[in-house]
Amino acid sequence: MTNIRSIAKLAGVSVSTVSRVLNDHPYVKEEKRRKVLDAVEQLNYIKNANAVHLSKGKTYSIGVILPYLNLPYFGEILQGIAGEALKHGYHLQLFQTDYDRGAELDAFHRLQMKEVDGLILTSRSNSLDALASFISPNVVFCENVYDPTYKKVFIDHYQGIRSGLQYLYSKGHSQIGLCLHRTFGTNSEERIRGFFDSAEAVGHPVRDEWIFNDCYDLQDGRDVLSEWERMEEKPSALIVTSDQVSAGMVAEAGKRSIRIPDDLAILSFDNHPLSDALNITSFEVPIRKVGEEAFKLFLESEHPDPVILNTRLFERGSV
């Protein structure tokens, strides 16, 4: 079996020189480094990654908890994480949970077993109380968790929704509905709070049936438009927290001869290329930046300041 002794013998150098070359030690003469690398290639030597991890106390692997892989929102966060991880020589382990609490806890158990060096939660299903015993400085949240000791990066969804409503008010709308991924979870709760606080501040009505939940994809958007069409009292505008859902609504409106924005105005979030293609007014949400900053927080000291990101409006033709 090939080992570093056989490499040393073939290269005509000491075992310690081989070890330094294999571990990228800078203080090795270039001639000796080349001899060792040539010997490694001739012997088809593969370094034992597990042994390296044990010796260094790191796996150079980070776990990413996300509910779904097929939604652009989480794909963008993942792209941001992956880009930064590559720069620093880390690999990703993905834990898709479908918002199953047990699957989420399993990822934390993997961290406890040191199968990964840290975890990034793009979205969470368990309560913070249920996770408290697992949380360490190697865990990063992509939401505004309220414990100041936790590492976190988040978008100011509260202000984003309030800005969206203010924009619709300026366009003359007072009857406004809201389409959400879900009604629980910190990010969703911040959106809902911003929606109701803004409506209350100006005295505009909000009806329960104008709040649409479980809106994730194109079909959900089609379903929302169908439900909206059946309503006796309709909102004149909808804030939609996903361009995928907005795209489904616009597509369905075309089939039903519903005029956007004359019959229904749509103000979306994400600013995905799809919104530009379909002329949907959308707030740019720096989702990829969330992933980038989350990985940077993982690398930082125990209690860095939270990273807060903001939305930006791109006006098009759906409002």
Side-chain angles (χ1 to χ4, degrees), residues 12 17 25 51 86 125 130 141 145 158 173 176 178 196 228 234 258 297 314:
T17 296
H25 197 285
L86 184 62
S125 54
F141 292 88
V145 288
Y158 175 84
H173 296 282
I176 302 169
L178 177 65
F196 279 92
W228 173 87
K234 300 176 173 63
I258 295 170
L297 284 176
F314 280 77

Side-chain angles (χ1 to χ4, degrees), residues 16 26 102 106 115 117-118 173:
S16 60
D106 178 64
E115 294 182 25
D117 295 335
H173 296 282

Side-chain angles (χ1 to χ4, degrees), residues 21 38 47 49 54 59 101 125 138 148 152 157 174 181 215 261 264 266 271 276 279 291-292 294 311:
V21 172
D38 287 343
K47 186 163 57 174
L54 287 171
T59 65
R101 291 187 177 94
S125 54
N138 295 332
K152 56 186 177 181
H157 291 292
S174 59
H181 289 160
C215 298
L264 174 65
I266 297 173
N271 197 38
D276 187 34
N279 203 29
E292 293 171 355
T311 58

Side-chain angles (χ1 to χ4, degrees), residues 157-201:
H157 291 292
Y158 175 84
Q159 189 55 50
I161 290 293
R162 295 207 66 166
S163 297
L165 282 163
Q166 193 59 48
Y167 176 77
L168 290 173
Y169 298 155
S170 73
K171 295 289 186 178
H173 296 282
S174 59
Q175 296 182 309
I176 302 169
L178 177 65
C179 297
L180 295 159
H181 289 160
R182 55 182 188 158
T183 56
F184 60 93
T186 304
N187 291 336
S188 293
E189 289 166 4
E190 285 293 281
R191 290 178 177 125
I192 293 169
R193 188 169 68 89
F195 185 80
F196 279 92
D197 284 357
S198 186
E200 183 179 357

Side-chain angles (χ1 to χ4, degrees), residues 141-253:
F141 292 88
C142 297
E143 60 177 292
N144 187 17
V145 288
Y146 294 106
D147 190 315
T149 66
Y150 293 167
K151 291 180 176 180
K152 56 186 177 181
V153 51
F154 60 92
I155 293 162
D156 190 348
H157 291 292
Y158 175 84
Q159 189 55 50
I161 290 293
R162 295 207 66 166
S163 297
L165 282 163
Q166 193 59 48
Y167 176 77
L168 290 173
Y169 298 155
S170 73
K171 295 289 186 178
H173 296 282
S174 59
Q175 296 182 309
I176 302 169
L178 177 65
C179 297
L180 295 159
H181 289 160
R182 55 182 188 158
T183 56
F184 60 93
T186 304
N187 291 336
S188 293
E189 289 166 4
E190 285 293 281
R191 290 178 177 125
I192 293 169
R193 188 169 68 89
F195 185 80
F196 279 92
D197 284 357
S198 186
E200 183 179 357
V202 297
H204 287 168
V206 176
R207 300 172 66 98
D208 289 343
E209 61 268 31
W210 294 352
I211 309 296
F212 300 90
N213 189 26
D214 293 328
C215 298
Y216 292 96
D217 55 27
L218 291 164
Q219 184 57 49
D220 295 328
R222 295 186 184 100
D223 293 343
V224 166
L225 195 79
S226 297
E227 190 172 343
W228 173 87
E229 190 178 31
R230 291 193 297 267
M231 289 180 175
E232 290 187 12
E233 187 170 355
K234 300 176 173 63
S236 64
L238 289 174
I239 289 182
V240 186
T241 59
S242 164
D243 284 339
Q244 292 283 311
V245 177
S246 295
M249 295 173 65
V250 169
E252 189 66 19

